[in-house]
Amino acid sequence: MNKLIELFEKYKQVIAYLFWGGTTTVVNIGIFELWHLQGLNYQIGNVIAWFVSVLVAYISNKLWVFKTPFGSFKDVSRESSSFFFYRSITLLMDIVITWVGISLLGWNSLLVKIIDNVIVVVANYFFSKWYIFKKTIH
């Protein structure tokens, strides 16, 4: 039992990130599919899904994954701007992956979006851990 507790303690940040990343992924894919199933442009739905899921991701990452302090308004503004900047990079990845998968290859939109989200979630974790959510306030 102690070994299990040690493993949990060692990986609790990754576990929390995977849980909240999964929640954010469900939000992202759900909004995307609802939009796309209406026959609307999938890239517009992709951007709307991105925006909503990034809001969910920022709040959950700050509060429950990386547990960074709020600090001053300036600090939070810097952190949230950095978060949205790096998420914008992965939005570009998202747009390219969905375009290649859906428009060029003709694959099923849900399958493409799932593959896309796996790649994006991994990239987002590294951006969040290394560049955005730091324990010290700048």
Side-chain angles (χ1 to χ4, degrees):
M1 186 66 163
N2 286 340
K3 187 69 170 169
L4 190 59
I5 292 170
E6 283 179 36
L7 282 173
F8 176 77
E9 286 299 319
K10 182 176 180 179
Y11 295 108
K12 70 181 174 184
Q13 187 179 70
V14 172
I15 293 166
Y17 185 81
L18 290 173
F19 173 80
W20 288 107
T23 301
T24 302
T25 298
V26 168
V27 168
N28 185 280
I29 292 172
I31 292 171
F32 173 81
E33 276 298 301
L34 286 173
W35 187 270
H36 187 61
L37 289 173
Q38 299 298 316
L40 302 170
N41 182 287
Y42 72 87
Q43 288 294 21
I44 293 171
N46 199 27
V47 172
I48 292 168
W50 171 84
F51 183 77
V52 174
S53 62
V54 167
L55 287 175
V56 171
Y58 178 71
I59 293 165
S60 61
N61 279 232
K62 178 152 191 63
L63 296 177
W64 300 300
V65 177
F66 299 104
K67 299 177 182 176
T68 57
F70 277 94
S72 69
F73 178 77
K74 181 180 174 183
D75 292 334
V76 172
S77 295
R78 183 181 305 132
E79 182 183 72
S80 63
S81 296
S82 178
F83 188 84
F84 273 85
F85 170 76
Y86 284 107
R87 287 304 201 266
S88 295
I89 292 171
T90 58
L91 171 62
L92 295 175
M93 293 170 53
D94 192 345
I95 290 169
V96 170
I97 292 167
T98 55
W99 178 72
V100 168
I102 296 168
S103 294
L104 293 184
L105 299 175
W107 292 356
N108 175 277
S109 64
L110 181 59
L111 175 64
V112 170
K113 196 64 178 158
I114 290 169
I115 293 168
D116 165 56
N117 267 266
V118 169
I119 295 166
V120 166
V121 164
V122 170
N124 285 337
Y125 177 78
F126 289 109
F127 284 143
S128 293
K129 178 142 179 84
W130 294 339
Y131 300 112
I132 302 165
F133 295 107
K134 298 175 183 169
K135 291 291 182 185
T136 58
I137 301 297
H138 299 68

